[in-house]
Amino acid sequence: ESRPIIIRHHWDADGVCGGVALEKALVDLVEKYHADPEAKYYLVRRKVSRAPFYELEDVVKDLDEALEDIDRHGDKVPLVVLVDNGSGVEDIPAIRQFLIFGADVITIDHHFPDEEVDRYLLYHVNPYKVGGDSNYTAGILSVEIARMVNPDVDLKLLAGVSVVGDRAEGEVEKYVELTGLTREELQDIALAIEFEGFYLRFRPSSYIMHEILGFGRKDRQKKLVEMLSSYAKEAIEAQVKTAMEGVKVQELPNGVVLAALDVENYAKKFTFPPPGKLTGEVHDRLKQKYERIVTIGYGPDFAVIRSEGIELDIPRLVRELQEEVNAGVEGGGHLVVGSIKFIPAKRKEVLARLASKIGSI
Ligand code: MN
C-alpha cells in the first residue's frame, strides 16, 4: 500500500534484534515488489529509542519527518511499530501525538503491559496477554511476525541473540539451539550490538548492525564481533572493578539482601557500560553470594533495580512511591527488573522508602 513504516525499538540487543527482523523482512518485500528501487529507503525506517519507552523527544522527530514527507513527496501517514517498548502508560503521550495525525500504532513488547495503552493501539502483541511472560522476548515476537510477513529471510540468529541478550529462560531456549551457535557466541554478538549501540546513541546504523548480525560479509562479521565483544568485556571489567567499591550491602528485616551501588560516583560518565547494564553486571556477581538479593544502582535522579529470588512488582512499587512521596516518581519495566526516575532533591527519601518496601515483602 506504499504506506511508510516506522520501526521504533529499544537500543539493547533484544530491541535491535526485533527491529532488524522486521526491517529485513519488510525491506526484502519492498525490493521485490515495489516499482521504485529507492522505495526501501523511505518506506521502512528503523529507529532506536534510548529511553525504555517511546519518549517525546523521539516522537517529535518521527512526526516532523513524516509530516515533511507527506508535504514534499506525497507520502502516506505512517504506520508506527514499537518494539521492546510501547506497552506502558509512559508511552501514551507520544502515541497520542501520532494518532492526531491519523497514524496507526502497533506495539510488540514483552514488558508487563498497562491496559490503558490499548485504547491507543491498533494491535498490542504481548505474551502477558495470553498467559506468557517476559521470557518471550521482543526479538522472538518480532522474528515470528517477520516470518509471517515474509518467510524468505533467515532470522534465526536474531531470535537466539535476543534470548541470550535478555537472559530469557525456559521453552524459548530452543531458539538458541536453532542458531547452531553456542551461548557464548550469541552473548558476544549481543555484547557487540550493545557496545556499538551505546556509542551510536540515537543513530540506528543499519549498516553496522547488519554486519554484526551476519547480513554482511561472514568473515568480517566474525572479526567484528570478536573485537567489539572483547572491547565490551574489558570495559565491563574495568567499570565493575571500581563500582564494587561503591556497593553497600545490608540485610533487611525479612532476610533479603539489599545492595546499593552509587553509580554516579563509582562509574565513569558517558562510558560503556551505562548505569543500567553496570548495575546488572554488579548484581550478577553479588547473586553468586546471596540467594535473595535486590541490587539498586542509583544516580542523582534515577535508580536501576535488579532482583533475584524475591517477588518484586516494580510497577506496583512505582505506583506506591508516587502516592507516598511528592518526588515526580516515574518508571516501570519488567516485574523484577526496572528503573525509576525522581527529582534529585528527594533522592534520599525515595531510596529509603524503596528500601523499606523491599524489606517488608
Ligand atoms: Mn527486551
Side-chain angles (χ1 to χ4, degrees), residues 12 14-15 84 110-111 138 166 334:
D12 71 354
D14 179 36
D84 202 21
H110 67 138
H111 292 85
D166 256 20
H334 295 288

Side-chain angles (χ1 to χ4, degrees), residues 88-106:
V89 277
E90 63 271 30
D91 295 282
I92 292 175
I95 293 170
R96 288 183 65 196
Q97 285 203 48
F98 244 128
L99 295 189
I100 289 267
F101 291 89
D104 286 310
V105 182
I106 294 174

Side-chain angles (χ1 to χ4, degrees), residues 29 36 50 90 130 161 198 204 213 215 242 298 302 335 343:
L29 281 185
D36 179 5
R50 296 303 292 190
E90 63 271 30
V130 286
V161 171
F198 178 78
L213 287 167
F215 294 106
T242 50
Y298 62 88
F302 69 88
L335 284 176
I343 57 164

